[in-house]
């Protein structure tokens, strides 16, 4: 049985890791390289690093930061933010990242998924999606872009299927409504996406305690879970999270 992955998320703004609630009221938490090392050595399976203002500021991702993280850790990591072309993807991968995450760009230009998969292999291409509850869409969830600022009218499940067909190797389902609340993942939309595609699905948004990860793995068929506030705050360590997962029968990689 494949082990379930635990993936800390580093949202970077102005060179510092930051965390907010539903994308608002962000506070600085520290240096991205130092936190990457801490979580890598603490038992993380992978990391994800988002340059959260690159797209809004219409600038490329901070490649020097990506290079510094790559030199410092020995686990895979994905990078998102400021990716606008296959050339940008190449720069990120050459800087040391194993995966590239696209979100709003892919909604505007779905062919970026197939172009990236053709150039680097589908295992390198991650689709990020920000679904919100909506009666407009058959699945009950609508895709938003630009940090929840734009509603697209696209059904989340149909978009996931299309992205998988285009060559996405993984889908991150970020619940905008749950982001930063520590109230638990959105099990419904995570399960709907996981049942609709045959590629790994990563739950994101809302993790507040280890039992939330157990829930999303056992009840929503997620392959991995992204965590942030619950470890940034020091409330839990990755070791404690994985210990509860193992005790609950969730297959996980223990590295201590």
């Amino acid at each position: 049985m494949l082990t379930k992955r635990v993936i800390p998320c580093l949202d970077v703004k102005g060179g510092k890791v930051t965390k907010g609630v539903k994308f608002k009221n962000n506070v600085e938490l520290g240096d991205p390289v130092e936190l990457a090392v801490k979580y890598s050595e603490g038992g993380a399976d992978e990391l994800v690093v988002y340059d959260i203002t690159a797209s809004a500021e219409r600038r490329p991702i901070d490649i020097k930061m990506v290079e510094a993280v790559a030199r410092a850790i020995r686990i895979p990591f994905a990078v998102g933010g400021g990716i606008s072309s296959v050339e940008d993807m190449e720069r990120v991968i050459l800087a040391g990242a194993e995966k590239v995450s696209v979100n709003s760009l892919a909604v505007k230009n779905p062919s970026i998924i197939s172009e990236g998969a053709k150039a680097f292999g589908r295992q390198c291409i991650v689709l990020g999606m920000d679904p919100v509850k909506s009666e407009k869409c058959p699945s009950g969830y609508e895709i938003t872009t630009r940090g929840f600022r734009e509603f697209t009218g696209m059904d989340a499940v149909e978009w996931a299927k299309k992205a998988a067909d285009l060559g996405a190797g993984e889908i991150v389902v970020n619940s905008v409504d749950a982001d930063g609340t520590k109230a638990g993942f959105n099990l419904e939309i995570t399960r709907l996406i996981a049942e609709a595609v045959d590629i790994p699905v990563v739950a994101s948004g809302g993790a507040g305690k280890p039992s939330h990860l157990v829930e999303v793995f056992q009840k929503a068929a997620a392959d991995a879970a992204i965590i942030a506030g619950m470890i940034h705050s020091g409330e839990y360590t990755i070791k404690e999270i994985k210990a509860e997962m193992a005790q609950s029968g969730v297959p996980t990689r223990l590295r201590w």
Side-chain angles (χ1 to χ4, degrees):
M1 185 180 292
L2 292 176
T3 57
K4 302 295 187 179
R5 291 170 287 143
V6 176
I7 307 175
C9 174
L10 305 179
D11 286 338
V12 180
K13 179 180 179 181
K16 298 291 183 181
V17 175
T18 181
K19 187 69 183 108
V21 177
K22 298 182 181 179
F23 301 103
K24 299 177 181 177
N25 303 318
N26 287 58
V27 295
E28 287 188 3
L29 299 172
D31 178 76
V33 177
E34 290 177 4
L35 285 173
V37 170
K38 175 183 176 180
Y39 297 142
S40 173
E41 294 179 350
D45 297 297
E46 298 179 17
L47 289 175
V48 59
V49 181
Y50 292 124
D51 188 336
I52 61 173
T53 58
S55 295
E57 294 171 359
R58 302 186 185 282
R59 61 170 174 80
I61 196 164
D62 184 347
I63 286 294
K64 289 187 177 179
M65 175 194 67
V66 177
E67 291 172 339
V69 170
R71 286 194 298 268
I73 66 175
R74 296 292 180 269
I75 60 173
F77 70 105
V79 171
I83 307 295
S84 60
S85 65
V86 172
E87 288 74 25
D88 287 341
M89 292 180 174
E90 182 176 32
R91 279 192 284 273
V92 166
I93 291 169
L94 289 176
E98 279 76 17
K99 300 177 183 179
V100 179
S101 178
V102 289
N103 189 324
S104 299
L105 170 65
V107 172
K108 275 191 197 175
N109 177 23
S111 65
I112 193 71
I113 297 173
S114 52
E115 291 169 8
K118 182 178 179 181
F120 312 111
R122 71 182 299 162
Q123 78 283 352
C124 293
I125 309 302
V126 179
L127 175 75
M129 60 163 60
D130 298 330
V132 295
K133 273 191 169 294
S134 172
E135 295 179 358
K136 299 177 187 176
C137 299
S139 71
Y141 289 88
E142 179 180 357
I143 293 295
T144 66
T145 59
R146 298 188 68 245
F148 184 51
R149 290 187 286 273
E150 291 184 1
F151 291 76
T152 66
M154 295 169 58
D155 182 86
V157 172
E158 292 307 311
W159 175 224
K161 290 178 181 177
K162 181 176 180 179
D165 288 343
L166 286 168
E170 189 167 86
I171 295 176
V172 174
V173 182
N174 180 48
S175 172
V176 175
D177 298 318
D179 182 75
T181 64
K182 298 185 182 180
F185 295 100
N186 184 323
L187 301 181
E188 181 182 42
I189 185 57
T190 304
R191 179 182 52 77
L192 286 172
I193 300 293
E195 290 176 348
V197 300
D198 59 1
I199 58 175
V201 169
V202 182
S204 178
K209 53 187 179 180
S211 62
H212 290 154
L213 281 84
V214 173
E215 260 190 336
V216 82
F217 290 136
Q218 293 184 336
K219 297 181 180 180
D223 297 277
I226 287 177
I227 55 175
M230 65 186 293
I231 54 172
H232 293 335
S233 65
E235 290 176 82
Y236 297 98
T237 64
I238 297 169
K239 181 177 180 178
E240 290 169 336
I241 294 166
K242 286 192 166 187
E244 183 159 333
M245 287 168 55
Q247 190 173 19
S248 300
V250 176
T252 184
R253 184 179 293 108
L254 303 175
R255 295 195 288 116
W256 51 80

